[in-house]
Amino acid sequence: MDRKTLEYMEKRSKEARKIVDTIEKLKSNIEETNSIGRVTFYDSYGNYLFDSSTGSLANEMKKAYERVVEKEIELLEQTLLEL
């Protein structure tokens, strides 16, 4: 194996590790959302707007977040396969 091949393999390995790390973080984030019972809203300046301690809004937001994160994980896994 020549140097150029090794450099190419190293580059791909680094990219793959980055992707795997990101996937693991996203999966961890999904697990952490299971303990959320309240959602607080702020405007773009950090000013408090309101919060929802009712389960239905928090649950729907958790479900939406999980769907978005799962879609991102699928895309990252596809990218990983293409490497």
Side-chain angles (χ1 to χ4, degrees):
M1 209 178 293
D2 65 353
R3 183 184 258 329
K4 215 158 192 55
T5 303
L6 287 172
E7 288 172 355
Y8 174 72
M9 290 173 60
E10 180 182 7
K11 179 183 174 192
R12 289 178 57 191
S13 295
K14 285 180 181 179
E15 289 175 19
R17 276 192 291 278
K18 252 189 209 180
I19 292 170
V20 169
D21 288 344
T22 302
I23 290 170
E24 289 173 357
K25 286 178 189 175
L26 290 171
K27 286 181 178 180
S28 174
N29 287 346
I30 288 177
E31 290 172 12
E32 290 174 13
T33 61
N34 291 331
S35 64
I36 294 174
R38 180 168 117 176
V39 178
T40 304
F41 294 87
Y42 296 91
D43 65 14
S44 59
Y45 300 104
N47 299 316
Y48 171 82
L49 296 174
F50 68 94
D51 65 22
S52 170
S53 55
T54 61
S56 61
L57 179 59
N59 284 335
E60 289 302 314
M61 293 196 70
K62 284 192 293 188
K63 288 177 191 175
Y65 176 75
E66 288 175 8
R67 283 192 301 270
V68 169
V69 170
E70 286 170 357
K71 183 67 176 171
E72 181 66 18
I73 289 171
E74 287 175 15
L75 292 171
L76 289 169
E77 288 173 340
Q78 182 62 37
T79 303
L80 189 61
L81 287 174
E82 292 170 0
L83 276 178

Short mmCIF file of all heavy atoms in Angstrom, two decimals, residues 23-44:
data_model
loop_
_atom_site.label_atom_id
_atom_site.label_comp_id
_atom_site.label_asym_id
_atom_site.label_seq_id
_atom_site.Cartn_x
_atom_site.Cartn_y
_atom_site.Cartn_z
N ILE A 23 -23.99 10.51 15.38
CA ILE A 23 -25.11 9.58 15.53
C ILE A 23 -25.29 9.21 17.00
O ILE A 23 -26.42 9.21 17.52
CB ILE A 23 -24.92 8.33 14.65
CG1 ILE A 23 -25.07 8.69 13.17
CG2 ILE A 23 -25.91 7.23 15.04
CD1 ILE A 23 -24.67 7.58 12.22
N GLU A 24 -24.21 8.91 17.69
CA GLU A 24 -24.29 8.55 19.10
C GLU A 24 -24.84 9.69 19.94
O GLU A 24 -25.66 9.48 20.84
CB GLU A 24 -22.92 8.10 19.62
CG GLU A 24 -22.49 6.76 19.08
CD GLU A 24 -21.07 6.38 19.47
OE1 GLU A 24 -20.38 7.19 20.12
OE2 GLU A 24 -20.66 5.27 19.11
N LYS A 25 -24.41 10.92 19.66
CA LYS A 25 -24.92 12.09 20.39
C LYS A 25 -26.41 12.27 20.16
O LYS A 25 -27.16 12.56 21.09
CB LYS A 25 -24.16 13.35 19.97
CG LYS A 25 -22.78 13.45 20.53
CD LYS A 25 -22.08 14.71 20.04
CE LYS A 25 -20.62 14.71 20.42
NZ LYS A 25 -19.90 15.86 19.85
N LEU A 26 -26.83 12.12 18.90
CA LEU A 26 -28.25 12.27 18.59
C LEU A 26 -29.09 11.21 19.29
O LEU A 26 -30.17 11.52 19.82
CB LEU A 26 -28.46 12.23 17.08
CG LEU A 26 -27.95 13.43 16.30
CD1 LEU A 26 -28.03 13.17 14.80
CD2 LEU A 26 -28.72 14.68 16.66
N LYS A 27 -28.62 9.98 19.30
CA LYS A 27 -29.34 8.91 20.00
C LYS A 27 -29.42 9.19 21.49
O LYS A 27 -30.45 8.95 22.13
CB LYS A 27 -28.68 7.55 19.74
CG LYS A 27 -28.93 7.04 18.33
CD LYS A 27 -28.29 5.70 18.11
CE LYS A 27 -28.60 5.17 16.72
NZ LYS A 27 -27.98 3.87 16.46
N SER A 28 -28.36 9.71 22.04
CA SER A 28 -28.34 10.08 23.46
C SER A 28 -29.35 11.19 23.73
O SER A 28 -30.05 11.17 24.76
CB SER A 28 -26.94 10.52 23.87
OG SER A 28 -26.93 10.99 25.18
N ASN A 29 -29.43 12.16 22.82
CA ASN A 29 -30.39 13.25 22.98
C ASN A 29 -31.82 12.74 22.99
O ASN A 29 -32.65 13.23 23.76
CB ASN A 29 -30.22 14.29 21.87
CG ASN A 29 -28.98 15.12 22.03
OD1 ASN A 29 -28.35 15.14 23.08
ND2 ASN A 29 -28.60 15.81 20.98
N ILE A 30 -32.12 11.77 22.15
CA ILE A 30 -33.47 11.19 22.11
C ILE A 30 -33.77 10.55 23.46
O ILE A 30 -34.87 10.72 24.01
CB ILE A 30 -33.62 10.17 20.97
CG1 ILE A 30 -33.66 10.89 19.63
CG2 ILE A 30 -34.89 9.35 21.15
CD1 ILE A 30 -33.74 9.98 18.43
N GLU A 31 -32.82 9.81 24.01
CA GLU A 31 -33.03 9.16 25.31
C GLU A 31 -33.28 10.18 26.40
O GLU A 31 -34.10 9.98 27.29
CB GLU A 31 -31.83 8.28 25.66
CG GLU A 31 -31.71 7.06 24.78
CD GLU A 31 -30.41 6.29 25.01
OE1 GLU A 31 -29.71 6.58 26.00
OE2 GLU A 31 -30.12 5.41 24.20
N GLU A 32 -32.57 11.30 26.34
CA GLU A 32 -32.72 12.34 27.35
C GLU A 32 -34.09 13.02 27.29
O GLU A 32 -34.60 13.47 28.30
CB GLU A 32 -31.62 13.40 27.22
CG GLU A 32 -30.26 12.88 27.61
CD GLU A 32 -29.15 13.88 27.33
OE1 GLU A 32 -29.45 15.06 27.05
OE2 GLU A 32 -27.99 13.47 27.39
N THR A 33 -34.69 13.07 26.12
CA THR A 33 -36.00 13.72 26.00
C THR A 33 -37.10 12.94 26.70
O THR A 33 -38.16 13.49 26.99
CB THR A 33 -36.41 13.95 24.53
OG1 THR A 33 -36.50 12.70 23.87
CG2 THR A 33 -35.44 14.86 23.84
N ASN A 34 -36.87 11.66 26.99
CA ASN A 34 -37.88 10.87 27.66
C ASN A 34 -38.19 11.39 29.06
O ASN A 34 -39.27 11.15 29.59
CB ASN A 34 -37.46 9.40 27.74
CG ASN A 34 -37.45 8.74 26.38
OD1 ASN A 34 -38.22 9.12 25.50
ND2 ASN A 34 -36.59 7.78 26.19
N SER A 35 -37.27 12.13 29.66
CA SER A 35 -37.49 12.63 31.02
C SER A 35 -38.08 14.04 31.03
O SER A 35 -38.35 14.58 32.10
CB SER A 35 -36.16 12.62 31.78
OG SER A 35 -35.24 13.50 31.17
N ILE A 36 -38.31 14.61 29.86
CA ILE A 36 -38.86 15.98 29.80
C ILE A 36 -40.35 15.94 30.12
O ILE A 36 -41.11 15.18 29.54
CB ILE A 36 -38.64 16.60 28.41
CG1 ILE A 36 -37.14 16.80 28.17
CG2 ILE A 36 -39.38 17.92 28.28
CD1 ILE A 36 -36.81 17.28 26.78
N GLY A 37 -40.76 16.79 31.04
CA GLY A 37 -42.17 16.86 31.39
C GLY A 37 -42.76 18.23 31.14
O GLY A 37 -43.96 18.43 31.24
N ARG A 38 -41.91 19.18 30.81
CA ARG A 38 -42.37 20.56 30.62
C ARG A 38 -41.54 21.21 29.53
O ARG A 38 -40.34 20.98 29.45
CB ARG A 38 -42.20 21.30 31.94
CG ARG A 38 -42.62 22.71 31.93
CD ARG A 38 -42.66 23.19 33.33
NE ARG A 38 -41.69 24.25 33.50
CZ ARG A 38 -41.55 24.92 34.62
NH1 ARG A 38 -42.26 24.60 35.66
NH2 ARG A 38 -40.69 25.89 34.70
N VAL A 39 -42.17 22.05 28.74
CA VAL A 39 -41.49 22.75 27.67
C VAL A 39 -41.62 24.25 27.93
O VAL A 39 -42.72 24.74 28.18
CB VAL A 39 -42.09 22.40 26.29
CG1 VAL A 39 -41.40 23.17 25.19
CG2 VAL A 39 -41.99 20.90 26.04
N THR A 40 -40.50 24.96 27.87
CA THR A 40 -40.49 26.40 28.08
C THR A 40 -40.11 27.10 26.78
O THR A 40 -39.18 26.68 26.11
CB THR A 40 -39.49 26.78 29.20
OG1 THR A 40 -39.82 26.05 30.38
CG2 THR A 40 -39.55 28.26 29.49
N PHE A 41 -40.82 28.17 26.46
CA PHE A 41 -40.60 28.90 25.23
C PHE A 41 -39.98 30.26 25.53
O PHE A 41 -40.41 30.95 26.45
CB PHE A 41 -41.91 29.10 24.47
CG PHE A 41 -42.49 27.82 23.96
CD1 PHE A 41 -43.33 27.06 24.76
CD2 PHE A 41 -42.19 27.38 22.69
CE1 PHE A 41 -43.86 25.87 24.29
CE2 PHE A 41 -42.72 26.19 22.21
CZ PHE A 41 -43.56 25.43 23.02
N TYR A 42 -38.99 30.62 24.71
CA TYR A 42 -38.33 31.92 24.81
C TYR A 42 -38.31 32.54 23.43
O TYR A 42 -38.29 31.83 22.42
CB TYR A 42 -36.88 31.76 25.30
CG TYR A 42 -36.78 31.20 26.69
CD1 TYR A 42 -36.68 29.83 26.91
CD2 TYR A 42 -36.77 32.04 27.79
CE1 TYR A 42 -36.58 29.32 28.19
CE2 TYR A 42 -36.67 31.54 29.08
CZ TYR A 42 -36.58 30.17 29.28
OH TYR A 42 -36.50 29.67 30.55
N ASP A 43 -38.27 33.87 23.37
CA ASP A 43 -38.12 34.51 22.07
C ASP A 43 -36.64 34.52 21.68
O ASP A 43 -35.79 34.00 22.41
CB ASP A 43 -38.73 35.91 22.06
CG ASP A 43 -38.02 36.90 22.97
OD1 ASP A 43 -36.91 36.61 23.44
OD2 ASP A 43 -38.60 37.97 23.23
N SER A 44 -36.34 35.08 20.54
CA SER A 44 -34.96 35.05 20.03
C SER A 44 -34.00 35.87 20.88
O SER A 44 -32.79 35.76 20.73
CB SER A 44 -34.92 35.53 18.58
OG SER A 44 -35.42 36.86 18.50
#
